Amino acid sequence: MKLKKIHKNEQDEPWPSSEQILCIGGANLDRKIMIKGTFQLYTSNPSSTSLQSCGGVARNVAENLGRLSRRVSLLTAVGDDAEGEFIIEQSSRYMQVLPLQVQDESSTGVYTALMNEHGEMIVATAEMEIYDQIRPSVIFENIPLIASSRLVLLDTNFSMNVIAATIQVCLEHQVPLVVSSVSASKMRKLPRNLHGVEWLVCKPDEAEAYLGLELKDDQHILDAARIFHKLGIQNVIFICGTRHVLFASQNGTHGQVPIPSVQQVIDVTGADDAFIAGMIYGITQGYPMEQVCQFGISCVDLTIQTDRTVSDTISINKLHSRFQELYGTHSQNFVFFKGVYFKKKNT
């Protein structure tokens, strides 16, 4: 398998239309190992057969969006190996995969999660050296692809320079950009100039790692949101564990959306990716922030009750149905005019 940089010319197919959603970031091989009984350090733990599937934040978000019937492409890096072939083959069912060229023999990224019998993660390891090989030049070479997109999702698997280049291109071409923090350590790779980021999705501990602050309660989290606004971010969404989601916008709008309890959690892997996909669906459909978050939570609910990182039950009908079950209202389209959301009239 030969990986090539994406570069359009007159003989190539045209760039996707503005309805296209572009996901930039990680595509890994996910391995899950389920521990039997109580996990113990420094000794052997019995486990069940490990599960293997495609993973990576950007890739998972792209698959969820593909299952929601969105037109989506994935700009990522995979190795010239069996794992890379597997990821491209499996992912191509739901998205257009655009693999970037790597300069050496780097292997495809591998994420290994150790899970307890309740489906909760104990610890995970990530082999992601391949992303260090990607340079900002590949972002600039793909400006036509980015500029033609309806919205861009960027995770923080690539280097700080690549992340900064993507933010710059989206700002210059006025393309809405959603950034996923991925983890506390990767959150630190975000530049200090965040003008061009329209939405940031992170957890409180990830915000702590970036800002160097201790966020003890919701008020501290909202204070952190104001700092992010000053750095250039339009909207910040905090996933606060299994309790609730907080959102805050530069215009002063903020709120809290409760996360309903789930009767049976089978596997939480991929929950954050599902949330981002659900919220992107809500954003592109014109919903206000509260319902954007509710769509994200509804997508999570469909995901964590399966043993898959991306649930094979995800669909537009299932998402709207779960939205109604959780929040007791029919989701309705909105239009945004002069700073106010209005419900569209039924036709």
Side-chain angles (χ1 to χ4, degrees), residues 24-41:
I24 302 176
N28 315 316
L29 188 69
D30 274 4
R31 295 191 176 113
K32 302 176 187 177
I33 302 173
M34 308 298 292
I35 294 296
K36 296 180 178 179
T38 303
F39 173 74
Q40 296 182 9
L41 288 170

Side-chain angles (χ1 to χ4, degrees), residues 183-252:
S183 68
S185 60
K186 292 181 180 180
M187 176 86 170
R188 296 188 181 98
K189 294 194 289 184
L190 287 179
R192 289 293 159 173
N193 181 358
L194 295 173
H195 289 86
V197 178
E198 195 152 342
W199 292 272
L200 170 67
V201 184
C202 67
K203 297 176 180 177
D205 66 304
E206 295 164 349
E208 288 179 338
Y210 179 82
L211 298 173
L213 300 173
E214 186 177 3
L215 308 181
K216 297 180 179 179
D217 52 35
D218 288 351
Q219 185 57 55
H220 286 152
I221 293 173
L222 290 175
D223 291 341
R226 295 187 186 96
I227 298 176
F228 281 123
H229 295 330
K230 292 179 180 178
L231 294 175
I233 297 176
Q234 297 294 313
N235 307 285
V236 187
I237 297 177
F238 294 94
I239 302 175
C240 302
T242 58
R243 298 174 293 134
H244 56 257
V245 168
L246 289 176
F247 64 87
S249 302
Q250 271 199 353
N251 63 8

Side-chain angles (χ1 to χ4, degrees), residues 149-325:
S149 298
R150 166 68 178 82
L151 177 147
V152 171
L153 176 279
L154 172 69
D155 72 27
T156 53
N157 278 300
F158 290 142
S159 69
M160 180 183 292
N161 290 336
V162 173
I163 292 170
T166 306
I167 295 173
Q168 175 188 336
V169 170
C170 288
L171 176 63
E172 291 177 354
H173 293 271
Q174 299 183 335
V175 178
L177 175 64
V178 177
V179 172
S180 168
S181 56
V182 180
S183 68
S185 60
K186 292 181 180 180
M187 176 86 170
R188 296 188 181 98
K189 294 194 289 184
L190 287 179
R192 289 293 159 173
N193 181 358
L194 295 173
H195 289 86
V197 178
E198 195 152 342
W199 292 272
L200 170 67
V201 184
C202 67
K203 297 176 180 177
D205 66 304
E206 295 164 349
E208 288 179 338
Y210 179 82
L211 298 173
L213 300 173
E214 186 177 3
L215 308 181
K216 297 180 179 179
D217 52 35
D218 288 351
Q219 185 57 55
H220 286 152
I221 293 173
L222 290 175
D223 291 341
R226 295 187 186 96
I227 298 176
F228 281 123
H229 295 330
K230 292 179 180 178
L231 294 175
I233 297 176
Q234 297 294 313
N235 307 285
V236 187
I237 297 177
F238 294 94
I239 302 175
C240 302
T242 58
R243 298 174 293 134
H244 56 257
V245 168
L246 289 176
F247 64 87
S249 302
Q250 271 199 353
N251 63 8
T253 301
H254 64 274
Q256 179 188 109
V257 182
I259 299 177
S261 59
V262 178
Q263 289 184 347
Q264 183 180 18
V265 176
I266 296 177
D267 189 347
V268 299
T269 308
D272 293 346
D273 309 334
F275 177 87
I276 294 170
M279 65 164 278
I280 288 176
Y281 171 80
I283 289 169
T284 57
Q285 294 299 108
Y287 290 96
M289 285 295 290
E290 181 178 10
Q291 289 192 300
V292 161
C293 294
Q294 289 173 344
F295 271 114
I297 294 169
S298 300
C299 203
V300 171
D301 191 86
L302 290 171
T303 300
I304 62 177
Q305 297 187 67
T306 72
D307 62 356
R308 298 178 181 271
T309 303
V310 179
S311 171
D312 55 10
T313 67
I314 296 292
S315 69
I316 292 179
N317 289 339
K318 287 284 184 65
L319 181 61
H320 280 262
S321 176
R322 188 55 52 91
F323 178 100
Q324 184 180 354
E325 290 174 7

Side-chain angles (χ1 to χ4, degrees), residues 326-344:
L326 294 179
Y327 297 100
T329 58
H330 289 280
S331 54
Q332 301 180 51
N333 283 333
F334 286 71
V335 293
F336 188 72
F337 179 70
K338 293 186 177 181
V340 180
Y341 286 98
F342 297 90
K343 291 182 180 179
K344 285 184 179 179

Side-chain angles (χ1 to χ4, degrees), residues 35-97:
I35 294 296
K36 296 180 178 179
T38 303
F39 173 74
Q40 296 182 9
L41 288 170
Y42 313 116
T43 187
S44 175
N45 288 268
S47 64
S48 62
T49 304
S50 62
L51 302 176
Q52 181 170 291
S53 62
C54 295
V57 172
R59 199 220 68 86
N60 290 346
V61 172
E63 181 177 337
N64 275 297
L65 289 169
R67 290 180 179 274
L68 291 171
S69 302
R70 304 300 95 182
R71 293 186 63 247
V72 59
S73 290
L74 172 67
L75 193 63
T76 189
V78 295
D80 189 6
D81 49 29
E83 290 80 5
E85 290 183 356
F86 176 77
I87 289 171
I88 292 176
E89 178 185 358
Q90 296 294 314
S91 301
S92 295
R93 302 173 184 177
Y94 309 100
M95 70 200 77
Q96 181 183 16
V97 183

